[in-house]
């Protein structure tokens, strides 16, 4: 049995992530990946059973990192306003500091691998979010709506602002756009108003 080399494994993961983000899942072949990571194709199979196994392990790792960022300083018992503010700051930091991983997570979300990928996630993140929402509804801090509506109102504005920030401009494409604390707070206040009963 061949020994595992952490540097080679990291090179494989990093190159696979970059290839998927740039070319989609169809652009990832083990031959191309081996060449990009400067390893033999056989080396990849020391760490991963097949292409799907590689993608699912990349997803699990990226999702765990995103969850850790989101839950930093967060408590499900917080008031809705305070808890959402912590999540917004944490999510924005993750999205800006880890753009490739964030993009990759979105790609998996809208792929046939999504259901299998979800099974690799640790349930503590979902449990924390569920407890946070239930507490806010019980205290009368937010309206009760389907979870898809909640997510669209609570988080989609943040994700759009991050996209503008990464592009460097807003809708007009003529003025520069920077996501600063003032803009984040203004948008969050509007979201909090929208979700009040």
């Amino acid at each position: 049995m061949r020994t595992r080399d952490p540097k080679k494994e990291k090179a494989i993961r990093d190159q696979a992530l970059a290839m998927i983000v740039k070319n989609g899942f169809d652009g990832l072949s083990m031959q191309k990946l081996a060449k990009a990571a400067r390893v033999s194709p056989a080396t990849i199979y020391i760490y991963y059973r097949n292409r799907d196994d590689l993608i699912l392990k990349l997803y699990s790792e990226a999702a765990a990192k995103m969850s850790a960022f989101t839950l930093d300083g967060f408590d499900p018992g917080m008031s809705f306003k305070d808890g959402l503010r912590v999540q917004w700051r944490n999510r924005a930091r993750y999205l800006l500091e880890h753009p490739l991983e964030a993009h990759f997570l979105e790609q998996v979300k809208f792929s046939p691998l999504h259901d299998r990928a979800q099974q690799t996630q640790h349930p503590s993140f979902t449990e924390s979010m569920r407890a946070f929402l239930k507490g806010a509804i019980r205290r009368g801090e937010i309206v009760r709506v389907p979870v898809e509506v909640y997510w669209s109102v609570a988080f989609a504005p943040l994700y759009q602002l991050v996209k503008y920030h990464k592009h460097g401009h807003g809708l007009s494409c003529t003025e520069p756009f920077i996501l600063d604390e003032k803009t984040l707070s203004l948008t969050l206040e509007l979201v909090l108003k929208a979700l009040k009963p």
Side-chain angles (χ1 to χ4, degrees):
M1 183 175 193
R2 294 174 66 179
T3 57
R4 298 168 75 92
D5 181 337
K7 288 181 183 176
K8 287 182 180 179
E9 186 175 8
K10 184 179 184 322
I12 292 165
R13 285 196 320 267
D14 291 350
Q15 289 300 323
L17 190 65
M19 290 173 75
I20 292 167
V21 168
K22 184 178 179 185
N23 302 312
F25 296 112
D26 290 340
L28 177 68
S29 76
M30 295 309 209
Q31 291 291 335
K32 288 179 185 176
L33 176 57
K35 185 175 180 182
R38 297 180 183 204
V39 299
S40 72
T43 300
I44 296 172
Y45 293 101
I46 294 172
Y47 307 101
Y48 307 102
R49 289 189 311 274
N50 54 41
R51 186 173 164 273
D52 284 0
D53 182 50
L54 167 60
I55 293 168
L56 291 172
K57 284 181 178 164
L58 283 173
Y59 179 87
S60 180
E61 186 178 286
K65 188 184 288 184
M66 186 275 296
S67 297
F69 265 74
T70 303
L71 295 176
D72 183 34
F74 172 79
D75 185 305
M78 287 177 153
S79 71
F80 184 72
K81 180 178 182 178
D82 291 342
L84 197 62
R85 183 175 304 280
V86 168
Q87 285 190 62
W88 268 46
R89 286 191 176 126
N90 289 345
R91 287 173 187 257
R93 189 165 57 95
Y94 173 78
L95 293 167
L96 294 171
E97 291 178 13
H98 302 280
L100 282 181
E101 290 176 357
H103 188 99
F104 169 73
L105 288 172
E106 284 294 301
Q107 286 175 292
V108 173
K109 187 184 291 185
F110 298 103
S111 80
L113 287 172
H114 180 254
D115 290 342
R116 288 171 57 197
Q118 287 295 101
Q119 295 169 8
T120 69
Q121 273 193 297
H122 197 277
S124 63
F125 179 78
T126 304
E127 289 164 9
S128 291
M129 293 299 111
R130 188 174 290 128
F132 175 62
L133 272 180
K134 284 184 176 179
I137 292 168
R138 188 177 61 252
R139 292 187 300 269
E141 295 174 309
I142 63 169
V143 294
R144 183 187 297 270
V145 293
V147 69
E148 295 81 7
V149 173
Y150 164 74
W151 197 96
S152 296
V153 175
F155 295 109
L158 170 66
Y159 281 69
Q160 188 59 53
L161 290 174
V162 169
K163 286 179 186 174
Y164 290 145
H165 179 89
K166 286 199 281 193
H167 289 299
H169 55 78
L171 285 174
S172 69
C173 295
T174 57
E175 296 292 322
F177 180 87
I178 296 172
L179 179 56
D180 55 19
E181 184 61 34
K182 181 180 176 184
T183 303
L184 188 134
S185 293
L186 169 64
T187 310
L188 180 58
E189 287 303 318
L190 293 170
V191 166
L192 289 167
K193 284 180 188 176
L195 290 167
K196 278 185 180 174

